[in-house]
């Protein structure tokens, strides 16, 4: 049976519109985006297949584009919808950071960074530039590296901080290896960045490392 043949109160879209979004399964939420299934399979069936094939939502949404586009039942239009949903989530979190004190909403900071950096196949070093109320001015990718390292230049970071007239900074980078603990190089870099920004009276509030489902905080570890 296609979803249109289901009882109305069992259809994913109708349940979502009735305020039951949190009660829908991952496959049912995917079905709302996919809209239709394939011959002999409903959109919910297709959603379950995709989740099984990619190992869950995270695996699906971070899949290589060329593989996803070639997958029967997915294709460019549906892949674009899935990626748009991820980007909208990231932008919503960024708006929240612009409206609130980042130090008072560490969970939002971590969720934002996870959506942004977690599943990259190479290292990215980023900065969250904050105003005097610790609200986000700009979130920027400052440097991009390889699987294992990134060259970061404190002078360039200081120059950008002055351009944005920020009052504080939170740094972040990802570890594609999945190991969240900081390396000796990470600690040295953090010290160098703090030293470069100290004469400008711009404190480094935290340095976060995103690795898989973990997020390591230098501030929480007492390293700042």
């Amino acid at each position: 049976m296609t979803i249109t043949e289901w009882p109305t109160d069992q259809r994913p879209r109708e349940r979502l519109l009735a305020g039951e979004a949190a009660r829908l399964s991952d496959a049912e939420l995917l079905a709302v985006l996919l809209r239709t299934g394939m011959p002999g399979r409903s959109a919910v069936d297709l959603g379950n297949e995709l989740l099984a094939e990619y190992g869950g939502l995270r695996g699906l949404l971070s899949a290589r584009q060329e593989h996803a586009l070639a997958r029967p039942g997915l294709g460019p239009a549906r892949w674009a919808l899935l990626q748009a949903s991820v980007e909208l989530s990231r932008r919503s979190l960024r708006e929240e950071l612009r409206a609130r004190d980042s130090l008072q909403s560490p969970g939002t900071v971590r969720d934002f960074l996870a959506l942004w950096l977690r599943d990259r196949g190479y290292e990215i070093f980023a900065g969250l530039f904050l105003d005097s109320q610790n609200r986000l001015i700009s979130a920027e990718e400052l440097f991009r590296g390889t699987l294992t390292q990134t060259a970061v230049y404190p002078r360039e970071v200081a120059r950008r901080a002055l351009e944005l007239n920020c009052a504080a900074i939170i740094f972040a980078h990802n570890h594609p290896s999945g190991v969240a603990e900081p390396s000796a190089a990470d600690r040295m870099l953090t010290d160098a960045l703090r030293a470069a920004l100290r004469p400008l009276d711009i404190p480094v509030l935290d340095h976060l490392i995103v690795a898989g489902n973990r997020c390591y905080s230098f501030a929480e570890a007492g390293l700042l």
Side-chain angles (χ1 to χ4, degrees):
M1 294 175 62
T2 64
I3 290 178
T4 56
E5 297 175 290
W6 294 9
T8 302
D9 62 356
Q10 294 181 22
R11 300 174 191 171
R13 185 176 62 182
E14 280 68 18
R15 290 178 59 200
L16 185 148
L17 291 173
E20 297 184 25
R23 298 176 61 183
L24 295 179
S25 68
D26 291 347
E28 288 171 329
L29 287 171
L30 280 175
V32 175
L33 292 173
L34 296 173
R35 299 183 63 185
T36 60
M38 298 176 66
R41 285 167 285 178
S42 70
V44 175
D45 294 330
L46 178 57
N48 277 315
E49 287 181 12
L50 291 170
L51 291 171
E53 180 176 339
Y54 290 97
L57 278 175
R58 179 182 166 191
L60 171 61
L61 297 175
S62 63
R64 293 174 56 185
Q65 179 170 302
E66 57 269 28
H67 182 273
L69 295 184
R71 204 278 185 193
L74 203 49
R78 291 176 172 180
W79 180 246
L81 280 174
L82 294 179
Q83 293 305 304
S85 68
V86 174
E87 181 61 19
L88 285 170
S89 296
R90 187 173 73 85
R91 294 187 185 192
S92 175
L93 290 170
R94 186 173 60 193
E95 283 186 5
E96 187 173 347
L97 290 176
R98 284 177 172 158
R100 298 174 58 185
D101 183 332
S102 297
L103 295 184
Q104 299 300 316
S105 52
T108 302
V109 173
R110 292 180 183 223
D111 289 344
F112 171 75
L113 291 172
L115 278 175
W116 187 14
L117 304 176
R118 182 176 59 191
D119 295 309
R120 303 296 186 96
Y122 45 85
E123 280 200 6
I124 290 176
F125 188 86
L128 305 184
F129 297 89
L130 311 176
D131 65 14
S132 60
Q133 302 299 314
N134 294 328
R135 295 171 302 197
L136 184 68
I137 298 172
S138 181
E140 300 187 3
E141 177 184 320
L142 298 172
F143 304 98
R144 180 178 295 191
T146 64
L147 177 65
T148 57
Q149 62 183 352
T150 304
V152 177
Y153 303 97
R155 178 188 294 182
E156 291 300 309
V157 174
R159 180 184 61 81
R160 186 58 179 152
L162 288 174
E163 288 177 347
L164 292 170
N165 194 30
C166 75
I169 298 180
I170 294 174
F171 292 116
H173 75 281
N174 62 317
H175 279 180
S177 65
V179 178
E181 284 69 26
S183 64
D186 291 334
R187 298 187 184 209
M188 292 176 60
L189 171 61
T190 304
D191 290 340
L193 289 165
R194 294 177 71 195
L197 293 165
R198 191 174 296 116
L200 306 178
D201 196 26
I202 300 176
V204 176
L205 301 183
D206 205 348
H207 184 172
L208 297 158
I209 299 175
V210 178
N213 291 321
R214 295 189 60 196
C215 191
Y216 183 96
S217 164
F218 275 62
E220 290 181 1
L223 298 178
L224 289 179

